[in-house]
Amino acid sequence: MPYDPQLVQPMRDEMLRMGAREMTTVAEVDAALGDLKGTALVFVNSVCGCAAGNARPALALALKHATRPGQVLTVFAGQDLDAVARARQYFSEYQPSSPSIALLQDGELVHFVHRHQIEGRPPQAIAADLIAAFDRFCGATSAV
Amino acid sequence: MTGHVFHPGHHELHGITVVLETAGPVTYVGRFDTQDDEGLHLKDVAVHQEGADPRTKSKFLADCGKFGIPARRKSVTVPAYQVIRISRLAELEARSQDG
């Protein structure tokens, strides 16, 4: 059963503050990822403080880097169930976990961060890994 | 909401994806939840059984590290006396990349 929407709203807001676009329906996911040109980061948000509590600040840090994905998108696991399931179809070679982070380039998955690669790590360390991926796969484009 | 934790006061491994090796042929990979008199409770668990799984344990663990946890069981409780080692999956993955 999903958490109370009021309880998770601050976690949604944290993503919106860093410029992410929220996808809450299958149609929104397909519109964003179905014919993707350029790069997009998809953050699978989660209520879990053990991992998401570090992942969101890490992403906020990483997105201050000059090189970043063309789009920053987010779905919320355990909340927007259909949208999450559809988003995961775009990176289906990886087992589902939340939070997790997918980086796509022209529709192809090029980098993936699992939950277990987030747990217990400080945001700075997670951000450093993300920045390395941005430098490798993203041009000098600005998000949103 | 940064750093917000919904479930404070748990075991230090609570919420961490661990590899739980037993004295027998079975290895579990899952999210550590709690430990009590019944044993260690894991959530969203993948199971490897030496001899029954076509992959070796090391290949299974490498695949978990790279592709994620193929969780087939929502929860598993393993009696503490069966457990010979608990490791963080991420640490095993890092060590295998170093070595």
Side-chain angles (χ1 to χ4, degrees):
Chain A
M1 177 181 294
Y3 284 96
D4 181 340
Q6 286 188 318
L7 207 59
V8 303
Q9 190 59 48
M11 302 166 192
R12 294 182 186 274
D13 292 343
E14 190 173 346
M15 293 304 302
L16 298 177
R17 280 198 301 274
M18 66 181 89
R21 179 152 53 92
E22 203 168 31
M23 303 184 293
T24 59
T25 66
V26 169
E28 287 174 348
V29 172
D30 285 342
L33 300 177
D35 188 25
L36 179 65
K37 300 285 189 285
T39 54
L41 180 145
V42 181
F43 181 77
V44 181
N45 205 352
S46 166
V47 297
C48 177
C50 306
N54 285 351
R56 287 186 300 267
L59 184 55
L61 279 174
L63 290 174
K64 292 177 180 170
H65 188 57
T67 302
R68 47 184 289 189
Q71 297 183 71
V72 180
L73 307 163
T74 184
V75 289
F76 209 125
Q79 298 295 307
D80 304 316
L81 305 183
D82 293 340
V84 171
R86 176 66 99 196
R88 284 177 168 154
Q89 289 178 3
Y90 288 90
F91 31 92
S92 59
E93 57 266 56
Y94 291 96
Q95 298 290 339
S97 67
S98 60
S100 59
I101 304 167
L103 183 62
L104 299 104
Q105 182 182 52
D106 297 330
E108 297 291 322
L109 180 67
V110 293
H111 185 75
F112 195 83
V113 182
H114 298 280
R115 174 196 166 95
H116 75 263
Q117 295 164 327
I118 294 169
E119 297 162 345
R121 299 182 71 205
Q124 292 80 3
I126 303 164
D129 288 351
L130 286 172
I131 286 169
F134 295 171
D135 283 339
R136 181 173 177 194
F137 297 110
C138 304
T141 54
S142 298
V144 284
Chain B
M1 196 51 54
T2 296
H4 178 84
V5 177
F6 265 11
H7 29 213
H10 278 293
H11 190 285
E12 63 173 306
L13 288 175
H14 174 78
I16 302 292
T17 302
V18 298
V19 177
L20 196 157
E21 295 171 87
T22 70
V26 180
T27 298
Y28 302 93
V29 180
R31 213 167 61 250
F32 192 100
D33 187 28
T34 59
Q35 180 174 2
D36 59 21
D37 290 345
E38 286 183 49
L40 289 74
H41 302 274
L42 304 182
K43 289 188 171 179
D44 297 325
V45 185
V47 182
H48 178 270
Q49 184 161 358
E50 202 76 66
D53 193 309
R55 293 172 293 182
T56 63
K57 184 167 84 173
S58 59
K59 177 71 166 87
F60 166 75
L61 294 176
D63 285 349
C64 286
K66 182 173 183 181
F67 298 108
I69 318 305
R72 301 287 181 261
R73 296 170 68 173
K74 284 303 288 179
S75 63
V76 164
T77 299
V78 185
Y81 71 86
Q82 291 184 2
V83 178
I84 59 169
R85 184 164 41 233
I86 305 175
S87 315
R88 293 179 185 227
L89 175 62
E91 289 176 358
L92 286 184
E93 191 183 7
R95 280 207 291 273
S96 69
Q97 287 170 354
D98 290 343

